Amino acid sequence: MWAAMKIDTPSKELLFATVRISNRALGTVGTGFIAHAPIADNLFVPLIVTNRHVLERTDQLVLGFLAKSPETGEPRYGERRDVAINGDTWIGHPDPQVDVAVIPIAGIINAISDLFYRTIPTALMEFTEDEIFIDAVEEITFIGYPSGHQDPFHLTPITRRGISATPIEMPFGGKKMFLVDGSVFGGSSGSPVFLLNEGTYRSGPTTVSAGNRMVLVGIIAASIQQLTDEPVVANYVPHIALARDLDLGIVFNRHAILETIDAYLTRFGQKRVSVANQAG
């Protein structure tokens, strides 16, 4: 008999922060991740962050959560809780060219008690260059459902790695994005992108530190099909495709994610506040 995995490290926690999103009209699958934004002391707004193209052109979306045991509070591996929502229950970034959107889920998690999930605090995206050193080339980790795949037995997502292909903090083509060198498939749309180092990490131009580094730097959106006179020609319809020749993925950066969250909060008269050491 196999033993259930203990959720006792940051990387294990991240496995439970994603949601499988099905677009019924298009017959496509994408990824979303659960974030929480603080609006006051001990008061947070939970949201699913994904791409707007994952959510468009349908009257129904299905959010696939892992089930939770009511007795132990632990995940019930292999048992999914599908939650159907209206296809217009989301808000996109104010700039329609920024492929980021959020779905409010406070009503869902308050009404359905047996959903197992972890949330990502917006604090993981709120840092300065003085606080977190980011080099021109970094190993990145992204988590999601490439081509709709997940562990068929446990129903947990797929974790993949690559490297930053352009500097993360330098807007590629003057836009809120950067490129990654990694195999990005349809279904990975909406996957959170992390700098995830456990043990040692580069903490400055000439220094290496012992410990862990985990920050969220962006969200997978598309893959490059070809290069022309334009900076990027990307495939968004019906979902992202494998970049067969270049193997490059487009990532909207953390600033685009935070701006989308703030646009949602502003619409309802709320404001995100910075809270040190937000807990998931």
Side-chain angles (χ1 to χ4, degrees), residues 81-230:
R81 289 287 180 267
D82 285 340
V83 180
I85 63 172
N86 292 333
D88 59 356
T89 313
W90 56 274
I91 291 176
H93 189 281
D95 181 351
Q97 299 302 310
V98 176
D99 193 10
V100 183
V102 296
I103 304 169
I105 58 168
I108 293 172
I109 61 178
N110 288 334
I112 306 175
S113 61
D114 65 341
L115 303 178
F116 187 87
Y117 60 89
R118 292 289 185 262
T119 67
I120 297 170
T122 55
L124 289 189
M125 296 178 270
E126 300 171 354
F127 56 86
T128 66
E129 293 183 15
D130 291 334
E131 293 169 330
I132 301 291
F133 174 78
I134 299 180
D135 211 341
V137 181
E138 290 276 4
E139 183 179 60
I140 56 98
T141 299
F142 54 105
I143 304 170
Y145 305 91
S147 296
H149 290 300
Q150 60 188 139
D151 180 333
F153 187 82
H154 299 97
L155 299 184
T156 48
I158 306 298
T159 302
R160 313 198 74 173
R161 281 191 163 166
I163 62 169
S164 57
T166 63
I168 289 171
E169 293 293 273
M170 183 181 293
F172 181 72
K175 301 178 181 180
K176 295 179 174 68
M177 61 174 64
F178 60 93
L179 303 185
V180 295
D181 182 352
S183 296
V184 176
F185 292 82
S188 295
S189 289
S191 295
V193 180
F194 298 93
L195 301 183
L196 178 60
N197 308 102
E198 297 174 295
T200 60
Y201 62 94
R202 184 177 294 278
S203 56
T206 60
T207 57
V208 175
S209 296
N212 300 329
R213 177 181 65 161
M214 183 174 72
V215 291
L216 198 162
V217 293
I219 182 172
I220 295 283
S223 59
I224 293 181
Q225 289 181 295
Q226 57 184 325
L227 293 180
T228 64
D229 292 336
E230 297 296 323

Side-chain angles (χ1 to χ4, degrees), residues 31-87:
T31 300
F33 64 91
I34 306 170
H36 68 262
I39 57 173
D41 289 345
N42 300 315
L43 184 60
F44 302 88
V45 174
L47 302 160
I48 291 177
V49 183
T50 185
N51 301 131
R52 69 167 67 230
H53 78 263
V54 170
L55 310 176
E56 290 176 328
R57 298 187 295 159
T58 186
D59 60 356
Q60 187 181 76
L61 297 160
V62 177
L63 310 177
F65 290 84
L66 197 63
K68 179 176 71 174
S69 169
E71 292 83 16
T72 66
E74 296 298 314
R76 301 181 74 160
Y77 293 106
E79 189 174 333
R80 195 169 70 220
R81 289 287 180 267
D82 285 340
V83 180
I85 63 172
N86 292 333

